[in-house]
Amino acid sequence: MPRILFAEDDDSLRGFLARALERAGYEVEACADGEAAAQRIDQNWDLLLTDIVMPGMDGIELARLAAERHPGLRIMFITGFAAVALKAEETAPPGARVLAKPVHLRELVVEVERLLAA
């Protein structure tokens, strides 16, 4: 079962998306912020799914840390800010995918499947 480390500071969205991914067959470790996810980054993950804008360690910093420690880890960002999404595409580790909020469950699952199959 593919394992996803998921960082999202919005409690309701985090729970909603984590449940959807679990129903799609993924094991999900959901974290409330970048720092909590960073503490778990050295476990065996197939995908880092992270919001970009979070208090403390943001998603870009988390992704850079993850890519530095685990170069083959796949990374996907979700964000509600178009300007942040554009910046993320420039500053994110190579191969990272960016999805805009609101994220539709079907789109999220399809993009996760696509990224993991690549």
Side-chain angles (χ1 to χ4, degrees), residues 10-94:
D10 181 296
D11 293 338
S12 59
L13 183 59
R14 184 176 61 253
F16 183 66
L17 294 180
R19 283 189 302 277
L21 290 165
E22 288 167 349
R23 279 189 227 115
Y26 299 101
E27 181 181 333
V28 179
E29 176 77 25
C31 302
D33 56 38
E35 285 92 358
Q39 292 174 4
R40 294 169 177 83
I41 202 67
D42 289 325
Q43 296 176 22
N44 187 27
W45 303 107
D46 298 293
L47 173 69
L48 170 62
L49 175 62
T50 182
D51 188 8
I52 294 176
V53 179
M54 295 183 289
M57 178 182 277
D58 67 25
I60 299 289
E61 292 174 272
L62 177 60
R64 285 187 180 150
L65 174 68
E68 180 180 296
R69 290 190 185 173
H70 308 283
L73 182 65
R74 289 172 173 86
I75 299 170
M76 182 181 295
F77 296 103
I78 53 175
T79 186
F81 303 97
V84 172
L86 292 173
K87 182 181 179 203
E89 291 174 353
E90 296 170 4
T91 60

